[in-house]
Amino acid sequence: MTLLIKNGLVIDPANNRSEILDILLIGKKIIKVAKGIGDDVGEIIDARDRIILPGLVDMHVHLREPGREDKETIQTGTLAALKGGITSVLAMPNTFPPPDSVESVSLVKSIIKKTAQANVYICGAITKGRLGRELADIAVLKKEGVLAISDDGSSIDSDALMFSVFKNAKNEDILVICHSEDKVLSNSGVVNLGLTSTRMGLRGISSESEYKRVKRDIELAEKIGARVHIAHVSCKESVAIIREAKKRGAKVTSETAPHYFALTEEDVLGYDTNKKMNPPLRGRDDVAAIKQGLSDGTIDAIASDHAPHTENEKDIEFERSEFGVIGLETELSAAITELVGNRILDWAGIVRRMSLNPAKILGIDRGTLSEGAVADIVIVDPKKEWRVIKEEFVSKSRNCAFLGKKLKGVVEYTICAGKVVYASASTDKEHYRA
Ligand code: DOR
Ligand code: ZN
């Protein structure tokens, strides 16, 4: 198939490009990026007043399959991703079974092959059963194609065990993604510790529970020279620790999620369980530090931490409800609204944090609009506003922290390997598959 995208503002920091250009796709690839490509070829998309980005890469997504298909499946999760402009996701290992062996990774791979609508990469488990006790065989997982390992949802408490993890990871040259949390210090909390937990009469999760573990994880990785990626950074101290570690030359990267830069702990005062996640929404100082970290590059990536849950698990008392919010369909608009809108990042900065950097961290050949690259592309109407409403989610779950909010920026087209796989209702080509 031949597809010509005309007159869009092409944002491609990998090639230092931010200009109005045409892009010609043939088959799965980008063939030409230039001004005034002749339009006597195949299908044409008029991208005047639109922004063209490389397909987004979300490196923290819970697809829930196998095991909790009532929350999400690989099919529904990847369809939601496409609606959000995300063409590649890293599937986190919080599944039943978790990808901790040849058999369990093969199972995920077979479901991906049959049902995935976007590129899905697998994050293996660090420990068998994700139980934090016995290490999975990393060499075997790597051979099966996992791009990283994580026990997301919890941290490995034993320093000695974590030391072995980094040692093995260094030997296999695999990335370790850390959910850095000391559960003793989290104290069974459900919201940020401080004024919020006091006002709500709920147990609080201290920032200390996060940043002490961030510090430990980085220091252990650094001793060995292993690569470590800190997931869902939420507090100012973690940002400072990561900044210092980068200055020292540690091989550390990090991510945050839109709720940590767009919302504060005050948003949870109404006991809305759609604002309950782990780590929790933090204070204004923390949000300011996260934004600073995004702008100065301390925080490399924005990932959704898309964590779908059923209404039965969310629409209940605050303390009993599950931690986590969905984010695939709102993350780009949240970033445009909050970061581009407030001049914290420019468009190239958005592409770096949401496509180029995560692709580099994972070592995948995505994140750019270079000639010859796989044609994963998003076309965005940057000015259009929309309201987040329950009924419009493609995800199986509805637990979104931005429900009711007005956001700026609408994904009009998502193209995966040269094929239009999503077109919004506002286009004249409303279809999921060309
Ligand atoms: O809020 C969260 N939800 N944080 C996590 O670390 C895990 C996730 C989930 O799996 O639901
Ligand atoms: Zn986590």
Side-chain angles (χ1 to χ4, degrees), residues 10-17 23 25 29-30 33 52-57 87 351-352 354-357 359-360 364-378:
V10 171
I11 312 286
D12 184 19
N15 291 301
N16 240 327
R17 241 179 192 154
I23 303 184
L25 317 181
K29 298 239 162 117
I30 297 174
V33 184
I52 306 182
L53 315 173
L56 305 183
V57 178
T87 48
V351 170
R352 283 185 195 280
M354 302 187 81
S355 182
L356 182 59
N357 291 352
K360 278 190 188 160
I364 57 175
D365 61 343
R366 295 293 192 279
T368 160
L369 298 170
S370 302
E371 291 176 357
V374 177
D376 285 0
I377 298 175
V378 197

Side-chain angles (χ1 to χ4, degrees), residues 60 62 64 71 92 94-95 130 151-154 179 181 183 231-232 259-260 276-280 305-309 314 322-325 399:
H60 197 134
H62 298 283
R64 305 294 192 210
K71 297 178 195 254
M92 298 310 280
N94 314 37
T95 51
R130 222 168 46 79
D151 265 8
D152 186 42
S154 37
H179 169 117
E181 178 188 8
K183 285 233 156 89
H232 42 59
H259 36 275
Y260 301 122
K276 177 181 174 182
M277 72 289 288
N278 185 26
D305 197 0
H306 181 79
H309 293 295
K314 272 302 209 182
E322 290 278 1
F323 288 98
V325 293
N399 51 309

Side-chain angles (χ1 to χ4, degrees), residues 29 45 52 81 102 115 122 146 152 176 209 216 237 241 260 266 270 318 372 377 400 402 407 412:
K29 298 239 162 117
I45 292 178
I52 306 182
V102 174
T115 68
I122 303 171
V146 312
D152 186 42
V176 181
S209 71
R216 182 209 66 171
E237 294 88 350
I241 289 165
Y260 301 122
E266 287 159 51
F318 196 92
I377 298 175
C400 181
F402 296 104
L407 298 178
E412 279 199 338

Side-chain angles (χ1 to χ4, degrees), residues 82-307:
L82 294 178
K83 190 179 179 196
I86 296 134
T87 48
S88 296
V89 302
L90 182 69
M92 298 310 280
N94 314 37
T95 51
F96 304 95
D100 59 0
S101 65
V102 174
E103 295 75 22
S104 47
V105 177
S106 302
L107 172 63
V108 188
K109 285 202 285 195
S110 74
I111 306 169
I112 292 170
K113 204 165 169 202
K114 278 189 224 137
T115 68
Q117 308 295 306
N119 305 305
V120 180
Y121 301 93
I122 303 171
C123 180
I126 294 178
T127 59
K128 290 187 184 161
R130 222 168 46 79
L131 297 170
R133 292 199 281 270
E134 201 185 333
L135 297 188
D137 188 335
I138 299 179
V140 159
L141 296 183
K142 167 116 189 209
K143 217 182 269 153
E144 284 300 306
V146 312
L147 292 189
I149 50 169
S150 179
D151 265 8
D152 186 42
S154 37
S155 171
I156 287 162
D157 291 323
S158 155
D159 295 354
L161 193 61
M162 201 57 193
F163 192 75
S164 312
V165 171
F166 284 124
K167 230 172 170 175
N168 296 348
K170 163 87 178 167
N171 283 340
E172 295 301 325
D173 188 25
I174 198 159
L175 178 72
V176 181
I177 301 181
C178 289
H179 169 117
S180 300
E181 178 188 8
D182 181 331
K183 285 233 156 89
V184 174
L185 294 175
S186 292
N187 195 28
S188 306
V190 288
V191 292
N192 193 31
L193 179 73
L195 219 53
T196 299
S197 57
T198 306
R199 278 175 71 181
M200 294 178 78
L202 295 171
R203 292 173 85 96
I205 303 174
S206 62
S207 293
E208 220 183 354
S209 71
E210 175 180 312
Y211 72 76
K212 282 207 161 160
R213 213 30 89 80
V214 167
K215 188 164 184 289
R216 182 209 66 171
D217 289 337
I218 294 175
E219 284 174 1
L220 286 178
E222 219 177 339
K223 258 188 205 146
I224 294 162
R227 288 188 288 141
V228 60
H229 177 82
I230 308 296
H232 42 59
V233 172
S234 75
C235 66
K236 58 179 187 284
E237 294 88 350
S238 298
V239 177
I241 289 165
I242 296 163
R243 186 178 289 123
E244 283 310 306
K246 284 190 166 191
K247 269 191 206 150
R248 294 195 300 270
K251 291 183 202 157
V252 57
T253 53
S254 68
E255 75 190 26
T256 191
H259 36 275
Y260 301 122
F261 60 70
L263 303 172
T264 70
E265 60 182 333
E266 287 159 51
D267 289 292
V268 77
L269 289 171
Y271 295 86
D272 176 1
T273 58
N274 287 330
K275 310 256 170 36
K276 177 181 174 182
M277 72 289 288
N278 185 26
L281 297 176
R282 304 283 193 189
R284 288 184 202 189
D285 287 6
D286 297 295
V287 172
I290 296 284
K291 287 178 171 167
Q292 180 56 39
L294 279 166
S295 111
D296 68 22
T298 301
I299 299 176
D300 304 83
I302 296 169
S304 62
D305 197 0
H306 181 79

